[in-house]
Structure formats: structure tokens, C-alpha cells
Amino acid sequence: MAKERVTVVDIARAAGVSKSTVSLVLQGSALVNEATRAKVNAAIRELGYVYNRSAANLRQAKSKIIGIVVNDLTNSFFAELAVGVDGVVQSAGFVQFLANTGEKSERQREVIASMREHGVSGLIISPARGTEASDLAPLVASDIPVVLVVRDIAEAGVSSLISDNHAGAMAAVRHLIERGHRRIAFLGGFPDTAVFEARMRGYRDALREAGMPALDELVIGSAPSRAGGVTAIEQAMMLKERPTAALCFNDAVAFGVCDGLRARRLEPGADFAVIGFDDVIEAKTAVPALTTVSVDPQGMGERAAELLLKQITAGRAEPESIVSPVRLVVRQSCGGTVERRVKEISS
Amino acid sequence: MAKERVTVVDIARAAGVSKSTVSLVLQGSALVNEATRAKVNAAIRELGYVYNRSAANLRQAKSKIIGIVVNDLTNSFFAELAVGVDGVVQSAGFVQFLANTGEKSERQREVIASMREHGVSGLIISPARGTEASDLAPLVASDIPVVLVVRDIAEAGVSSLISDNHAGAMAAVRHLIERGHRRIAFLGGFPDTAVFEARMRGYRDALREAGMPALDELVIGSAPSRAGGVTAIEQAMMLKERPTAALCFNDAVAFGVCDGLRARRLEPGADFAVIGFDDVIEAKTAVPALTTVSVDPQGMGERAAELLLKQITAGRAEPESIVSPVRLVVRQSCGGTVERRVKEISS
DNA sequence: TGACGAGATTGGAACGTTCCAATTATTAAG
DNA sequence: CTTAATAATTGGAACGTTCCAATCTCGTCA
């Protein structure tokens, strides 16, 4: 029963050539005769040979595996990011190692170590909260290309791809101001993160630009989830002077805010303007369709993967920090009458 | 710059022992002296050694990798399933290879082949639509344990873990009937899938049981997504005799149905009863909270992983087909006044 | 003292591939 | 007909680990 593994020498014997020739065929080398190539391929099919990548990796130090570690796969933003990465990585002949850290940096350390042991040729990381440059140090020390997405870690000295959070938040708030809103809240997100900081700064700057005060009571943090959105809007509605509009930390929070509003018999869009951030797929089909700052998670995953592949093939490359432009997609959740109007920002 | 890889012989030399001893230490063998173990570990830290799993895999034919392939990572049901798997797999010292097929069986063939080349010791597969037993044949032929989740393929002869779709659908429809509904629709899902078939059969059986007719016009297929739900409810509302309630193929469809109702100024729960299937996390926090048949995707992922690990360690095991019990979670989207009441079904 | 066994340690042969240098067969040129 | 160039093919040495059987070092017991 315990069938022997069929190896390259088995098929060499079957095809009447040497194992070197078989290896050449496997690599699609040009210098093998068409007839023998056919013979070898026939033998491969015949014997049901499966290539052993471990053996290959051992010889040549590059592995055709890229790792992607995300902090919360449950959030569809990251799930979409992962499928974006997967797409380009696959078609480049690589395969994806995906791990979920659940925001735990201990777990993150483990999975990164494990990926290193497997000899990944590069890593795309959306770092867990509280990740420090020192966590990535061993990677850069051993020249493994790393691309950070979504959250940058400035001191780490690796490439990064983040969205233009500041510009996006400003555009959203400007839009609300144009619509006549004067009390605009910023809802959701953990205040101790760089992304929160950037979006909140954009929010504040847009208010100042319009000569409006940026009140602390209108900035309400929460978990960056749907449930967090519900609690944030509840808290906002407790204020003596209630806001009439809100920019939310992300789309999940925005959906939660909509839920919370409905629970109070307020219709999002008509009675209260809400804008999200990310543009996850459901944003388009939700009712009301969510006005949001589009980050295109899938596209971001694709670009991150391309950047990483470039670095892998180029060998040593200078780390680049790309901030990816972002656009406000106006739909219905901010009382819009204009549907699908789109504004380009930050080039 | 191009630093040499640190190998086991390097640290052997540094620690003044043989490479065999180092190997023993790496495997946590009991028969190495405490003092030398310490010396070796010190050298490992000192030189920044990283274990080379490719080399290890080459020698011993087992790889500590398990693969998981899902048909649509964008659907949060599968994302949650994946994190469930990841959790138990990690803590068993394995690492997860995740691939997304996007329902394309061609892609599925590729990723499965690739995983085989990497020597995965087992595979959890949520098959793409139209997967046939023959697609899995090479896996069973080479004794690689496989656990099918969500969708079973009877002829494949591998283990499977699916939810009790028939019982769940029956319970949901019974509940609607108890509430006095007489025109109940079944909305969403691709009619040519086994899961659709099972849920729809449950729906029909419950109607018959109550002596009610099962009308074809009330069964409306669509893509199993939020957008699909919107179109399905629109179609349902075109009927001369409209339904007053619906069991939806899954939660995503149910959310879409709610959206579509609101677009017609109907309030889900109050004006029209909707029940979902799956119980994704958002079901609880949505407004109105979704009544749904709870499948617990994360728990399902965990159980699938445990089943797979059991088969991996046990060597050859008889394939088991587990149908996982399911429970109706009554929340607000079916006009409930009773919140969080829970009915256990199918033991 | 000698023999024995347990506890530690070790050298070397695998594992399945790739790569290099070397070889053979084939063709073209002189 | 020889030589050179080109096209195909090949054996064997890596790669970094694990495993086996063999060895070495003690302490203990008769």
C-alpha cells in the first residue's frame, strides 16, 4: 500500500534519459530536444509524478512562496486585500502563505518566524497593533523583501503602501461642509493607531480650513467594527448638542452607525449624513448606498504584491513608501441626490 | 554583504558538538544533556540561526503544512471559516496555506496541484462550484487526508463536514408558519448546488408538513450575495400575490433582501419577515438584528481542522461524514418581540 | 577489577532536486 | 577529411536536515 514516491530518477529511467535531462524539462529549458521533452512529459503523466518543491528549495535558495500576514481577516477589508494579493501572486507562479494574527503581536512573531523557516521569498504585512520596528529587524537583516500595507512603521526601513488617509478624510469632511453641515463628528477606530491619527488630522484640518472649531467631544473612538459603530453613534447622540453628520473611521463602523441610527428611528442619509472609509464591496449595495472614501482594498493588495515581486526579482532595492491616492465616492448615505458622482482627489 | 546561511553545522562548530546533537536539540529530544542543550541554544541565538524546513521535509516526508482552499474569501462566512481553521492548525504547530479559487475550478486544480508540490500533509477544501470527484482523485490516490467543508461531494470518498441544511431550513420555515405567515418565499442562491437543494428541500418539507402548498413561483434563485438578495426580493415583489416572509439562502442574501425592502419603504421585521442562514458576525449587530440559522462558521473551521489533524496523525482513517447541528437564532428581522430566544434543533 | 548498562554523543548515509563541467552527437566551415 | 562550433545530454557534487548504528563515558554492581 505504502506506495513509493516517484522521483525524477524514476521518470528518467522510464523515459530512457538522465535525471539531469528530466530536470531541464521540468524547468522548461530551451536546450532540450523536442522529441525527448515529449517522451519525458509522457513518463511524467504516466507515473503520476509530483514535483518536490522542498528538494528544489534546498538546492536553490529561492522558494516561490510569498507570505501575507494580516491583522484581522474577519474584516472584509483585509479579506479583499488578501484576494488582491493572491491574484497577482498566483499568476506570477508563486503561492500564498496566509496567516491571521488577530491583532496579537505575539502571534505575529510566531507566524513570521514560521514563514521564515519555510523560506518565503517575500512578505506582505499588515502589522498588528503595537508592532515595532524591532519585530521586523530580523527580516531586513536577512534581506527578505517586506512590504507593509495599510499601516506603516516608519523606522523599520522597509517598503510600504498606505492610502492617503489625510487627504481622504479632508475630502469627506469638505463634502459634508458643502452640504451645509456644521456639527460633524468623527466616529470609531482606536485612537492609538497611525491610521486613526491620519484620518482624524484630515478631519480636523478640513474643519479649520472652513473656519470651524474642532471639538474634542465630537471625536469618539471605538472598536473599528460594526458593533463599535453602534456604540459610537449612541454616545454621540447623548451629547446636548448632537452632530448632524459623521465621518466614520471605516466602512464597518459606518454600517454600525447606520444601524444605531435606525434603532433610534433616524434614517441614515435623510436625517443624518454618514460617510465611511475603505469602500468595501457591500458599500455599493447597502441601503442606503454608503458614501465613502474609496481605498480599493483589492487593488491595494494587487499593487502591494506587484511591489513585492519587483523587489524579489530585482534583488536588493531601495525601500519605497507609496501613498496610494484615494477618492471620495458619493452615494446616498450623506443625503445625496446625485448618485455615483465621483471626485478625484490627491491626483 | 551576501551573508552565508547559518546551518546546523555552523552552530555545531560554535557550540563544540556534532551536528547530530544540534539536530537532537532542535527536536527537543530528551536524550541530550541539559548543559549541552543550553550551549547549543546559546549558539543558535548568537548566530541567528533559522531552521530550514525544506531540508527537513526532504528527509522526513511530512511537512507541517496544511492547505485550505475556499471558493470565495470575499464572503465573510468563508473568511471566518478560515480563521477558525487557522487557530487550531497553528496551535498544533502547523502552518496554513490559504488559497482562494473564486469559484473557478480551473484555479482550484492549480492551487491543489501547487499545494501537493509543497507537500502539504492535509487539505481542507470548500469546493468551487462544479467540482467533481475526479478533481480530488489524485489526492486520495496519494493518501493525502482531505476534509471537505460546506459542500460535500458524495462520490469522492473523503471526509466531509457540512451543516444540517435540511433541518435548519425546516426549523426556520416552521417558525415563520407559527408566526402566522402563509406566503413564504425562498430567496437567493444558485439552484444547481447541493446546499441550495438541501435548504430548499427543508423549506418545502416544512410547508407540506403544515399542509401548505409549495409554489414554484416563490422560489427565486440569485447570486448568493448581498446584491443577489436585492434582485431576488425585487422579483418577489413583482408577483401578483406577494409573499409576507422569506427564508434566504444565506445571510448575505438576507441583508440584500433587507436593503431591497427598505428601498421600497418596507421595514424588515415589521412589514416583512426575513430569516437568513449562516449567522455571520454582522447578523447580531445589524439593525434589525437578523433572525438566522446559526452555522457558526468559525466553529466549523475549528472542527474541520480537528478532524483533519486527527486523520493526519492517525495515518489511514475511514472517511467520516459529519453533519453539524444547526440552531435557529431568533432575533428581530422576523418581527420578533422575543429577543435572543434560541431553539435547539437536530440535537 | 571487570563487566555491564544507561546516558550522551557522533559520523555518515540518505532524501529529491539543481547546477556545473564535461561529454557526445550533429552540423558547418575550411 | 579535419576542425570548429553548436546542440543535447549527462554524471556527480552540492544543498541542510534527519535517522541509524556505532561509539564513548561513566557509575554501579558482583
Side-chain angles (χ1 to χ4, degrees), chain A residues 213-344:
Chain A
L215 304 172
D216 281 345
E217 61 172 18
L218 289 177
V219 175
I220 301 175
S222 79
S225 62
R226 193 154 181 152
V230 174
T231 66
I233 185 70
E234 274 168 6
Q235 196 177 329
M237 295 317 252
M238 304 294 242
L239 295 172
K240 59 256 137 230
E241 274 198 275
R242 294 176 175 177
T244 64
L247 169 62
C248 300
F249 175 72
N250 66 15
D251 285 349
V253 168
F255 289 131
V257 166
C258 289
D259 291 342
L261 288 169
R262 289 222 180 83
R264 297 186 154 256
R265 302 264 146 232
L266 291 173
E267 186 55 24
D271 306 326
F272 189 102
V274 3
I275 298 191
F277 215 113
D278 286 351
D279 199 17
V280 298
I281 17 175
E282 300 122 41
K284 197 177 344 215
T285 52
V287 173
L290 192 65
T291 292
T292 189
V293 179
S294 172
V295 168
D296 183 17
Q298 201 157 326
M300 212 164 151
E302 287 163 9
R303 262 167 296 152
E306 280 155 9
L307 180 54
L308 184 67
L309 289 175
K310 196 178 74 179
Q311 288 190 17
I312 289 173
T313 54
R316 192 84 222 102
E318 280 314 291
E320 327 181 29
S321 280
I322 300 181
V323 339
S324 160
V326 116
R327 61 201 176 87
L328 180 68
V329 181
V330 178
R331 293 197 267 247
Q332 282 135 10
S333 66
C334 54
T337 47
V338 257
E339 189 173 349
R340 318 223 93 228
R341 193 175 112 226
V342 160
K343 292 188 173 182
E344 288 285 345

Side-chain angles (χ1 to χ4, degrees), chain B residues 220-238:
Chain B
I220 301 173
S222 78
S225 62
R226 194 155 181 150
V230 174
T231 66
I233 185 68
E234 273 167 9
Q235 196 177 329
M237 295 316 251
M238 306 294 242

Side-chain angles (χ1 to χ4, degrees), chain B:
Chain B
M1 274 307 85
K3 42 188 61 171
E4 293 297 309
R5 217 185 200 306
V6 179
T7 84
V8 88
V9 319
D10 293 321
I11 78 153
R13 196 169 328 147
V17 297
S18 80
K19 63 182 162 49
S20 304
T21 305
V22 176
S23 174
L24 256 10
V25 171
L26 288 173
Q27 294 165 83
S29 165
L31 36 78
V32 38
N33 184 300
E34 211 37 71
T36 57
R37 179 194 306 280
K39 254 192 315 185
V40 169
N41 280 326
I44 285 178
R45 258 189 306 279
E46 178 99 19
L47 302 190
Y49 167 75
V50 334
Y51 186 72
N52 184 334
R53 254 172 225 281
S54 291
N57 290 347
L58 183 54
R59 191 63 235 268
Q60 31 163 58
K62 38 163 165 180
S63 80
K64 290 312 201 166
I65 300 179
I66 80 101
I68 160 165
V69 358
V70 303
N71 51 294
D72 181 11
L73 193 56
T74 281
N75 181 331
S76 55
F77 179 87
F78 295 105
E80 286 174 48
L81 187 89
V83 333
V85 170
D86 194 45
V88 349
V89 140
Q90 287 266 354
S91 44
F94 282 70
V95 63
Q96 188 193 49
F97 243 146
L98 185 146
N100 181 234
T101 61
E103 296 288 11
K104 288 191 275 291
S105 61
E106 177 53 23
R107 186 63 164 282
Q108 181 171 279
R109 234 189 315 280
E110 289 169 11
V111 308
I112 291 179
S114 172
M115 286 178 172
R116 278 188 79 195
E117 294 184 352
H118 282 282
V120 293
S121 16
L123 232 32
I124 293 176
I125 306 180
S126 166
R129 220 138 74 80
T131 302
E132 289 167 17
S134 64
D135 293 325
L136 304 178
L139 289 173
V140 322
S142 45
D143 278 350
I144 298 177
V146 174
V147 171
L148 256 24
V149 284
V150 180
R151 303 172 177 175
D152 195 9
I153 296 176
E155 321 80 49
V158 300
S159 292
S160 65
L161 176 62
I162 61 174
S163 50
D164 194 340
N165 294 306
H166 182 265
M170 277 194 80
V173 172
R174 280 196 197 115
H175 182 76
L176 290 172
I177 293 173
E178 274 175 29
R179 297 257 162 164
H181 291 281
R182 286 296 165 267
R183 275 186 81 77
I184 301 172
F186 183 86
L187 301 180
F190 291 124
D192 60 342
T193 63
V195 176
F196 182 96
E197 207 278 322
R199 292 182 184 174
M200 211 254 289
R201 213 156 29 75
Y203 157 82
R204 289 233 154 103
D205 289 349
L207 291 179
R208 287 214 193 89
E209 177 189 68
M212 294 164 54
L215 305 172
D216 281 345
E217 61 172 16
L218 288 178
V219 175
I220 301 173
S222 78
S225 62
R226 194 155 181 150
V230 174
T231 66
I233 185 68
E234 273 167 9
Q235 196 177 329
M237 295 316 251
M238 306 294 242
L239 295 173
K240 58 255 138 234
E241 275 197 276
R242 293 175 177 179
T244 64
L247 169 61
C248 301
F249 175 72
N250 66 14
D251 286 348
V253 169
F255 289 131
V257 167
C258 290
D259 291 343
L261 289 169
R262 289 224 179 82
R264 293 184 156 258
R265 303 265 144 228
L266 291 173
E267 186 56 23
D271 306 325
F272 189 102
V274 4
I275 298 191
F277 216 113
D278 285 353
D279 199 18
V280 299
I281 17 173
E282 300 121 40
K284 197 177 344 215
T285 53
V287 173
L290 192 65
T291 292
T292 189
V293 179
S294 174
V295 169
D296 183 17
Q298 201 158 326
M300 213 163 151
E302 287 162 9
R303 262 168 295 153
E306 280 155 10
L307 180 55
L308 184 68
L309 290 174
K310 195 178 77 181
Q311 288 191 19
I312 290 174
T313 54
R316 193 82 221 103
E318 281 314 291
E320 326 180 30
S321 281
I322 300 182
V323 340
S324 161
V326 118
R327 62 201 176 87
L328 180 67
V329 180
V330 179
R331 291 197 269 246
Q332 282 137 9
S333 66
C334 54
T337 47
V338 258
E339 189 174 351
R340 318 224 91 227
R341 193 175 113 225
V342 160
K343 293 187 173 183
E344 288 286 345
I345 355 162
S346 79
S347 103

